[in-house]
């Protein structure tokens, strides 16, 4: 197994680094490096810059307008963006629904939906989870009844990330109650402007409304928005979840946040405390180990082996690391990390002056926000079950 990059790959990395340096707006990267609030406009501005270059769909094949990069090139692109302080691309369009449309949608659907995703113009949301149907997703109840050339959708989705901005939502809906629950699910693309859709924000522990409830009350959806075959949606959903879990590992962001942790620890005067430094060192070792795991996946992909079955493992380790760096940041700032104040969140963490509410307020919010990582995209307990079955046998 060869984990080193080739000269061509290193040249590619330089090319990406230069482009990101020249094109990532300074005000956005400043926000990312200091954990300040990112607005919808910030996220979409960066998405459109990538879209214009043809890189918002960085994982896409050339056939669908993507750059056709290898697994290693995709990794290097993600790494350069993260280290430079680019916001995480909202994954629902380019990373999640697009591969499903490419693999299972018809030509008309591909022509209709992929360009808006590739350019960053259209904001997508994910409508999988329901109250009572999270880990046990196949029990979902939102019903879609075929009436002529339409589906009539009734039910409720929940935890819909950034659904308040969503223009389209891809949903798993129940089209049959016959047989096993998995065999009665279909995959529908729904215009969120359709009459009968209500989006209600949920306020989270960190004070933000990052997730929503989405209600469907006799929503009419043209049957042409069905992906693939009716009642085969579960297969398409599984295809998508593998993409989601690899994306959640986010080792590159962890590398950037490790540097921020060190900056915070120095500014707050705990970097010289050997016990605190031990914790940073342990975290760093784990991040390097996760990176090695990612590189092993890439190396296996280069040699043509299928390696997505360890996606669950990447998700478990990556999410635990994300939680640990936010915990250590909070500990470094001590009680000053606690308050949640919008004005302070807008100010961000500012390493130039030590301590105090304004300097440290975002740390607690980040800490609370990151509790989600071991739950979403399939909880870590459930991932461990999957790893036990698929990897350990
Ligand atoms: C911030 C955030 C954003 C999200 N965004 C979206 C989104 O955009 N779209 C979307 O569709 N969903 C989204 N989700 C939903 C997410 O996928 C679910 O929360 C997740 O699948 C867990 O389901 P649940 O919350 O119903 O918990 P439950 O399934 O009720 O689980 C409760 C607890 O029981 C454990 N558990 C359950 N089953 C097992 C088992 N078999 N073995 C061992 N332990 C088990 C779980 O690990 C968990 O600790 C989001 C969630 C969060 C927190």
């Amino acid at each position: 197994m060869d984990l080193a990059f080739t000269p061509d790959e290193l040249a590619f990395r330089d090319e990406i680094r230069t482009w990101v340096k020249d094109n990532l707006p300074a005000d956005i990267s400043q926000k990312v490096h200091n954990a300040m609030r990112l607005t919808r406009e910030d996220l979409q501005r960066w998405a459109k810059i990538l879209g214009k270059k043809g890189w918002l769909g960085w994982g896409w094949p050339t056939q669908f307008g993507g750059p056709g990069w290898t697994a290693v090139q995709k990794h290097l692109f993600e790494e350069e963006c993260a280290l430079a302080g680019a916001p995480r691309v909202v994954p629902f369009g380019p990373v999640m629904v697009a591969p499903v449309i490419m693999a299972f949608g018809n030509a008309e659907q591909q022509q209709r939906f992929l360009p808006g995703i590739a350019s960053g113009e259209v904001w997508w949301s994910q409508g999988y989870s329901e109250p009572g149907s999270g880990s046990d997703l196949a029990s979902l109840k939102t019903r879609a009844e075929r009436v002529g050339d339409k589906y009539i959708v009734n039910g409720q989705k929940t935890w819909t990330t950034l659904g308040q901005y969503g223009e389209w939502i891809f949903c798993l809906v129940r089209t049959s109650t016959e047989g096993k629950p998995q065999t009665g699910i279909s995959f529908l693309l729904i215009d969120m402007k359709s009459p009968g859709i209500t989006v209600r924000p949920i306020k989270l522990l960190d004070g933000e409304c990052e997730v929503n409830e989405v209600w469907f009350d006799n929503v009419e959806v043209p049957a042409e928005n069905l992906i693939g075959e009716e009642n085969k949606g579960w297969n398409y959903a599984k295809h998508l979840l593998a993409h989601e879990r690899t994306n959640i590992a986010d080792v590159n962001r962890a590398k950037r946040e490790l540097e921020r942790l060190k900056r915070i620890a120095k500014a707050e005067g705990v970097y010289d405390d050997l016990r605190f430094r031990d914790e940073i060192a342990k975290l760093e070792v784990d991040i390097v180990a996760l990176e090695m795991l990612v590189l092993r996946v890439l190396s296996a992909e280069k040699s043509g082996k299928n390696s997505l079955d360890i996606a669950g493992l990447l998700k478990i380790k990556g999410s635990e690391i994300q939680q640990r760096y936010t915990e250590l940041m909070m500990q470094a700032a001590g009680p000053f990390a606690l308050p949640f104040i919008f004005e302070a969140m807008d100010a961000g963490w500012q390493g130039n002056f030590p301590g105090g509410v304004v300097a440290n307020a975002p740390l607690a919010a980040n800490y609370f926000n990151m509790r989600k990582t071991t739950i979403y995209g399939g909880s870590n307990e459930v991932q461990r079950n999957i790893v036990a079955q698929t990897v350990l046998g």
Side-chain angles (χ1 to χ4, degrees):
M1 183 174 48
D2 183 7
L3 299 183
F5 296 123
T6 65
D8 280 354
E9 287 163 349
L10 292 174
F12 172 84
R13 180 162 72 183
D14 286 343
E15 185 200 331
I16 299 290
R17 186 170 293 174
T18 306
W19 185 86
V20 174
K21 188 165 164 283
D22 293 343
N23 289 279
L24 175 62
D27 61 314
I28 294 184
S29 70
Q30 203 252 344
K31 282 188 174 185
V32 170
H33 278 305
N34 293 291
M36 293 157 74
R37 286 179 91 206
L38 290 163
T39 62
R40 177 193 209 272
E41 194 275 330
D42 292 329
L43 295 170
Q44 210 159 16
R45 185 152 46 108
W46 176 234
K48 285 182 184 170
I49 292 169
L50 287 175
K52 209 162 160 207
K53 178 73 176 166
W55 287 354
L56 184 56
W58 71 97
W60 298 15
T62 47
Q63 180 196 352
F64 294 106
W69 286 337
T70 62
V72 172
Q73 287 174 317
K74 288 180 220 169
H75 170 77
L76 291 174
F77 170 77
E78 288 167 11
E79 180 172 48
E80 287 308 314
C81 289
L83 296 182
R88 265 188 113 220
V89 164
V90 178
F92 307 113
V95 180
M96 290 166 67
V97 75
V100 172
I101 295 174
M102 289 176 208
F104 307 107
N106 58 37
E108 209 174 291
Q109 291 167 334
Q110 289 164 353
Q111 279 155 20
R112 182 172 165 208
F113 292 109
L114 293 178
I117 299 176
S119 66
E121 295 291 330
V122 182
W123 191 296
W124 282 79
S125 296
Q126 178 186 25
Y128 274 23
S129 307
E130 298 181 6
S133 301
S135 303
D136 183 17
L137 188 58
S139 68
L140 63 91
K141 295 186 184 62
T142 295
R143 184 111 181 95
E145 237 171 304
R146 179 86 188 233
V147 181
D149 58 357
K150 293 189 184 83
Y151 285 97
I152 308 296
V153 180
N154 280 288
Q156 185 199 346
K157 296 291 172 183
T158 192
W159 307 123
T160 315
T161 299
L162 301 178
Q164 66 269 44
Y165 305 142
E167 290 160 303
W168 280 78
I169 184 167
F170 54 93
C171 284
L172 291 181
V173 290
R174 180 150 305 285
T175 36
S176 166
T177 47
E178 307 283 312
K180 275 172 51 181
Q182 286 85 347
T183 57
I185 292 173
S186 299
F187 196 106
L188 266 189
L189 309 183
I190 304 181
D191 183 344
M192 288 189 77
K193 289 185 295 302
S194 312
I197 296 188
T198 309
V199 178
R200 292 187 194 147
I202 304 173
K203 194 154 179 137
L204 291 181
L205 204 58
D206 66 358
E208 277 285 13
C209 293
E210 190 183 52
V211 291
N212 299 266
E213 294 177 317
V214 182
W215 298 78
F216 299 85
D217 180 13
N218 285 318
V219 176
E220 293 188 5
V221 181
E224 67 204 28
N225 292 6
L226 175 77
I227 293 289
E229 288 178 54
E230 198 176 271
N231 297 328
K232 294 274 169 64
W234 188 250
N235 297 338
Y236 315 146
K238 282 195 298 190
H239 179 82
L240 184 152
L241 282 174
H243 284 268
E244 180 177 2
R245 285 174 195 143
T246 319
N247 192 256
I248 284 174
D250 218 349
V251 65
N252 302 314
R253 180 162 61 151
K255 283 165 71 178
R256 185 188 68 222
E257 293 300 296
L258 177 69
E259 292 314 308
R260 187 161 73 93
L261 169 62
K262 290 179 185 171
R263 284 191 283 137
I264 292 173
K266 283 176 190 162
E268 297 305 318
V270 291
Y271 194 70
D272 294 328
D273 176 330
L274 285 182
R275 290 175 69 188
F276 197 82
R277 274 249 287 279
D278 259 3
E279 293 303 316
I280 298 182
K282 279 191 231 157
L283 177 68
E284 188 154 4
V285 167
D286 279 354
I287 292 174
V288 172
L290 179 65
E291 190 175 21
M292 287 300 126
L293 198 59
V294 170
L295 292 176
R296 278 178 57 191
V297 173
L298 297 178
S299 165
E301 281 186 19
K302 265 203 242 183
S303 58
K305 289 181 207 146
N306 181 9
S307 52
L308 270 184
D309 53 353
I310 70 154
L313 217 57
L314 293 177
K315 197 261 160 174
I316 294 168
K317 290 309 292 178
S319 57
E320 288 175 352
I321 284 171
Q322 285 163 28
Q323 295 192 335
R324 268 176 53 214
Y325 61 66
T326 59
E327 282 158 20
L328 290 173
M329 286 173 191
M330 276 253 286
Q331 284 176 20
F336 287 120
L338 275 173
F340 180 86
I341 303 166
F342 271 111
E343 291 75 8
M345 284 298 289
D346 287 337
W349 179 79
Q350 298 172 30
N352 294 338
F353 55 94
V357 169
V358 173
N360 291 318
L363 300 181
N366 293 160
Y367 166 84
F368 286 128
N369 187 272
M370 282 294 156
R371 300 307 94 196
K372 69 190 177 188
T373 62
T374 45
I375 303 171
Y376 67 13
S379 77
N380 281 18
E381 290 80 7
V382 171
Q383 294 308 307
R384 285 196 167 85
N385 289 347
I386 295 172
V387 170
Q389 283 157 7
T390 57
V391 180
L392 303 177

